[in-house]
Amino acid sequence: MKVGSIREIKAQEFRVGLTPEAAQEVVAHGHEVLIESGAGLGSGYDDAAYEAVGAQIVPDAAAVFASADMIVKVKEPQPSERAMLRPGQLLFAYLHLAPDPEQTADLLKSGAVCIAFETVTDRMGGLPLLAPMSEVAGKLAPQMGAWALQKANGGRGVLMGGVPGVAPAKVVVIGGGVVGTNAARVAAGMGADVTVLDRSLPRLRQLDDMFGGQFGTAYSSAATLAEKVAEADMVIGAVLIPGAAAPKLVSRAMLSTMKPGAVIVDVAIDQGGCFETSHATTHQDPVFEVDGVIHYCVANMPGAAARTATQALGNATLPFVLALADKGWKQACIDDAHLRAGLNIHAGQLTCPPVGEALGLNSVTPEEVLGL
């Protein structure tokens, strides 16, 4: 199989779909690897690093799309990239289709087979290809929020850890999953007064047991959420429903109760965001203000730590890349129910029911497509 990876063109996206280490493994399995020239530079990998492991450098993305059987990339394909997909070609990347009807329509029209990183599962019910980026985004969230809290950046001018005699920042994390746990750990490590909200009592108990009171926990009832949001200097949205649009948990009315200069960091923005007032921003222009509240809603947060994020993502995706290349997408999905869960689009059919529900489109299951 010819496996290709291209330079990401989404604004300020510096990650790359295949590291040289991953390319070396794919070549060792008897496949060809095509890399667009300069694709790895944002993560610190030059063309020579790929050539040294047997990959072929090609001049542009069009050359990769024209020749490769499988495209491995990071972020959802942009319009110009979607136009280069062809029927039967395999795309393996983050897609986040639920809040993106235009992308969904283009991918359906392309006739390509599209497997989304974010809906691949594991035996524990987790999302193994989303988890490493959730860890990176969770750890970045308090760091970015602390920057936004600085007065020069529009915030309240509150220091996360305070100083003797002055209280630390109050940070509320909505969601106790991978993003929320990592965000809480880092915010608490910065000295902030942190509370994690979640609707799962077993998860709240687990967090208490794991972290021994480093941060507080509370059940996320509507009343508690409203109370904590009003008190907060920073609110981090860390809610995920796999494959589906994020629920709008913080309304415009609730936002109006927040302190002037308070900050929200919406890590769920890839799935549409969990604040009613959120819209996606970029690393170049990361924040905006609504009702005096600073919003940080960068849709590719892990791109800020491109080398770390690329390496973490490559470690997670490599076994699936090899399975897809060795067996072909169909047999790989038949053999592995967890990879099969990642199948979002096949030959003009939507194969992810949660996306269908979010966009009001008809869908079938991956099992129906595969005749299982």
Side-chain angles (χ1 to χ4, degrees):
M1 181 180 282
K2 292 184 178 181
V3 180
S5 195
I6 60 176
R7 180 176 58 84
E8 298 290 328
I9 60 173
K10 186 166 184 172
Q12 290 79 54
E13 180 52 70
F14 305 109
R15 291 171 288 178
V16 64
L18 288 175
T19 64
E21 293 82 3
Q24 183 175 17
E25 294 277 354
V26 175
V27 170
H29 277 238
H31 307 289
E32 295 182 48
V33 175
L34 308 175
I35 303 291
E36 180 184 355
S37 181
L41 291 176
S43 297
Y45 300 117
D46 60 17
D47 290 350
Y50 289 98
E51 290 179 310
V53 299
Q56 177 185 348
I57 301 299
V58 298
D60 52 33
V64 178
F65 276 96
S67 299
D69 303 300
M70 172 167 58
I71 305 292
V72 182
K73 66 190 306 295
V74 181
K75 292 304 291 178
E76 69 280 356
Q78 302 302 292
S80 63
E81 296 169 328
R82 302 197 291 265
M84 291 188 279
L85 284 166
R86 63 179 188 272
Q89 193 169 41
L90 174 59
L91 173 66
F92 192 35
Y94 288 116
L95 299 180
H96 300 292
L97 297 178
D100 195 343
E102 292 81 10
Q103 182 197 181
T104 304
D106 285 350
L107 293 182
L108 288 169
K109 183 180 178 181
S110 75
V113 178
C114 304
I115 298 178
F117 289 167
E118 71 273 10
T119 60
V120 173
T121 58
D122 63 21
R123 288 178 294 177
M124 305 297 291
L127 302 170
L129 305 188
L130 189 61
M133 296 305 93
S134 295
E135 290 166 351
V136 173
K139 290 182 176 182
L140 280 171
Q143 179 177 319
M144 299 308 187
W147 174 86
L149 265 178
Q150 295 176 37
K151 191 66 177 179
N153 299 321
R156 299 192 69 223
V158 174
L159 186 66
M160 288 286 277
V163 293
V166 180
K170 287 184 177 292
V171 176
V172 174
V173 180
I174 307 174
V178 176
V179 170
T181 299
N182 281 276
R185 288 178 63 187
V186 170
M190 296 170 77
D193 177 359
V194 181
T195 302
V196 176
L197 303 179
D198 201 283
R199 285 184 172 271
S200 169
L201 290 176
R203 182 56 180 168
L204 294 177
R205 292 190 186 98
Q206 187 179 32
L207 290 173
D208 279 339
D209 291 342
M210 288 169 61
F211 297 103
Q214 292 179 33
F215 48 79
T217 60
Y219 183 78
S220 188
S221 66
T224 299
L225 177 62
E227 175 189 342
K228 295 297 182 182
V229 165
E231 296 173 350
D233 298 297
M234 182 192 305
V235 181
I236 297 173
V239 178
L240 173 69
I241 300 175
K248 302 295 184 186
L249 297 179
V250 177
S251 66
R252 179 74 177 263
M254 200 180 298
L255 187 84
S256 68
T257 68
M258 295 182 69
K259 305 167 186 174
V263 169
I264 65 169
V265 180
D266 197 343
V267 188
I269 194 64
D270 275 334
Q271 293 293 113
C274 59
F275 298 84
E276 184 181 356
T277 48
S278 291
H279 64 74
T281 61
T282 67
H283 292 290
Q284 188 173 20
D285 188 15
V287 299
F288 62 93
E289 177 265 326
V290 177
D291 293 344
V293 176
I294 306 303
H295 293 54
Y296 181 98
C297 304
V298 173
N300 59 328
M301 284 180 64
R307 189 169 179 89
T308 296
T310 290
Q311 291 173 344
L313 182 60
N315 292 340
T317 58
L318 179 58
F320 297 101
V321 170
L322 293 176
L324 290 164
D326 290 347
K327 299 178 180 182
W329 76 266
K330 185 170 290 187
Q331 191 61 50
C333 287
I334 289 172
D335 291 348
D336 186 348
H338 302 296
L339 178 58
R340 187 162 70 238
L343 184 63
N344 278 205
I345 287 177
H346 167 258
Q349 289 182 296
L350 183 62
T351 56
C352 184
V355 172
E357 292 173 14
L359 297 179
L361 298 175
N362 293 328
S363 64
V364 297
T365 67
E367 287 75 17
E368 289 176 278
V369 164
L370 294 167
L372 299 178

